[in-house]
Amino acid sequence: MSVRIDITGLRPERAAAVPSPLAELGMALHALSEPGHHPGLQGWATGVTARLDSHLADRMCEADFLWRTTFSDLFLPCAGLPGRTALPGQSLAEELDLLDKLSDEQFVDAALEFTCALPYGEPGAGPLTDAGLRRRALELAAARGPQQVRFSERLLADPPLIRAWLRQFLQDCDEAFFAETWSRLGHQLAADARHKTELLRRRGLAEALAAVSPAVELDEAAGRITVDKLGDGRTATADGGLLLIPTSLGWPHLMVLHRHGWQPVLHYPAASPELSAPPSVEQLTLRMSALSHPVRMRLCRSLARSAFTTSELTQVHGMTAPEISRHLSVLKKAGLVTTRRRGRYVYHQLDVAMVARLGSDFLEGILR
């Protein structure tokens, strides 16, 4: 599973790395709503929550589905502007002005993305103009609860009202906590964006994408970027551009904006040591499948304590050498068992560090 970006015809100068205050505010709201996704930010989240005005905290819950699941494309409005080459603003105020430039149709479609799970990557009319989609949006909202119904009804009835509400809410968040957070993080993100820009200019797109994440691959011959994700999607730069936007609050999320007609965006964690070598979804599946067999679980119990030869394992577990070898082969293919030779003996041992990483790898795999 993956998200693929067709970059056929993408001109080098149309690939840009730049920070986005609005995208970082979206990620801040997400981290506050889902602190379990971001264990490294619990101290920050606790501090912000403790200082929040109760009225603002209530408003934060009113439409938290815009950022709780991940965060809405509304936090990357530059990608939806005509020409598909616009860049994020340098300040939150500039980015809120870009948000105002989205059409009502674009705003409603993006706002309903997580509320109602309407088609994301396909062309066509939206619920403002298509009565069938409008009914479907309200049906899906009803299945999610009264809060989503109220928001969706207000959004479909009066988009400018919700736009004004959202802008005021984001400005209040900036005053309450985000301006301070951005003053600390903005310099780090600008430095990361400069580094990616240098890679783009001096070494090309492949090197820049490799620095974004090992989960991002470029096939230059096919003109395609592939992002390893637990989901499928496709988009194209066409005659537009490609944006690389760093986040300091985002790990483990590596997100791809692939909305039809919008500029593709890679929103990636900057300078995160946890992302040095994230496993692919295929690798993660292989490792978890290898450990799901009860015989291999018992073998791991032995191999975690000491190194064993195949012959020793046959004695301990009462199995034949071919049976032991078959199970060891599965564990080795999954990268969970190491092998070393000592004289004429071959010893096998569980890679305890790799097994210990499975929890965080699993979290990253499903949230990436």
Side-chain angles (χ1 to χ4, degrees):
M1 290 179 282
S2 60
V3 176
R4 294 167 294 283
I5 305 173
D6 184 341
I7 59 168
T8 303
L10 176 68
R11 301 207 303 270
E13 66 272 15
R14 290 288 179 86
V18 59
S20 165
L22 183 55
E24 197 70 352
L25 174 52
M27 189 53 70
L29 289 167
H30 167 68
L32 292 171
S33 298
E34 286 287 0
H37 287 195
H38 307 273
L41 298 176
Q42 287 184 355
W44 170 82
T46 300
V48 170
T49 302
R51 299 196 310 269
L52 276 184
D53 173 81
S54 59
H55 180 56
L56 181 59
D58 288 341
R59 289 161 64 204
M60 194 175 288
C61 296
E62 192 172 338
D64 66 353
F65 36 80
L66 291 178
W67 50 79
R68 191 178 197 109
T69 305
T70 53
F71 69 93
S72 170
D73 291 343
L74 290 177
F75 290 97
L76 291 166
C78 61
L81 298 183
R84 305 205 296 179
T85 57
L87 299 177
Q90 295 185 7
S91 67
L92 182 64
E94 289 179 20
E95 295 229 78
L96 292 177
D97 289 341
L98 295 180
L99 182 60
D100 287 342
K101 293 181 180 180
L102 294 180
S103 67
D104 282 348
E105 289 77 10
Q106 288 177 304
F107 184 89
V108 169
D109 285 351
L112 288 176
E113 175 189 343
F114 298 118
T115 310
C116 301
L118 290 168
Y120 179 84
E122 302 296 328
L128 279 184
T129 54
D130 186 311
L133 273 180
R134 187 186 188 92
R135 286 193 299 272
R136 179 62 175 156
L138 293 174
E139 289 171 1
L140 290 168
R144 290 196 164 200
Q147 184 174 320
Q148 283 83 348
V149 173
R150 287 193 297 270
F151 178 84
S152 300
E153 288 176 339
R154 291 165 58 205
L155 175 66
L156 290 166
D158 193 351
L161 177 68
I162 297 299
R163 294 173 77 122
W165 177 90
L166 180 62
R167 181 177 182 122
Q168 186 60 57
F169 168 75
L170 295 175
Q171 289 173 331
D172 291 345
C173 286
D174 186 47
E175 182 178 345
F177 67 90
F178 183 68
E180 177 186 346
T181 300
W182 182 252
S183 69
R184 176 170 53 86
L185 300 180
H187 299 297
Q188 302 170 17
L189 296 178
D192 186 272
R194 285 195 298 271
H195 173 61
K196 300 299 188 296
T197 298
E198 281 299 301
L199 289 176
L200 284 167
R201 289 176 179 170
R202 297 180 181 276
R203 300 189 182 181
L205 183 59
E207 290 279 349
L209 294 177
V212 163
S213 168
V216 182
E217 294 183 359
L218 171 64
D219 185 336
E220 293 185 280
R224 181 175 61 242
I225 295 170
T226 301
V227 185
D228 185 66
K229 297 275 286 180
L230 197 63
D232 290 306
R234 60 180 64 246
T235 188
T237 55
D239 58 351
L242 173 70
L243 287 178
L244 311 179
I245 296 182
T247 168
S248 287
L249 302 175
W251 187 88
H253 305 303
L254 169 63
M255 285 173 284
V256 189
L257 191 161
H258 56 98
R259 180 178 294 278
H260 178 79
W262 289 43
Q263 183 176 188
V265 180
L266 288 173
H267 191 220
Y268 65 93
S272 177
E274 297 94 334
L275 262 152
S276 57
S280 67
V281 171
E282 182 181 1
Q283 289 171 324
L284 183 59
T285 303
L286 193 64
R287 288 171 188 169
M288 297 184 74
S289 298
L291 292 173
S292 66
H293 196 287
V295 171
R296 290 194 284 273
M297 287 283 286
R298 290 198 298 272
L299 286 175
C300 286
R301 189 172 188 271
S302 298
L303 297 171
R305 287 163 168 75
S306 181
F308 284 80
T309 66
T310 302
S311 178
E312 288 173 324
L313 290 171
T314 63
Q315 306 265 334
V316 172
H317 294 276
M319 299 171 63
T320 67
E323 288 176 317
I324 293 291
S325 294
R326 185 168 63 250
H327 286 299
L328 286 175
S329 177
V330 173
L331 292 168
K332 285 190 283 188
K333 185 177 180 181
L336 299 172
V337 165
T338 60
T339 299
R340 71 178 188 275
R341 179 176 290 277
R342 185 183 299 163
R344 61 191 183 91
Y345 296 100
V346 175
Y347 289 88
H348 313 284
Q349 190 161 19
L350 188 70
D351 188 336
V352 177
M354 183 65 73
V355 176
R357 281 179 46 190
L358 276 175
S360 59
D361 285 348
F362 175 74
L363 181 66
E364 180 181 354
I366 62 174
L367 295 179
R368 187 162 67 213

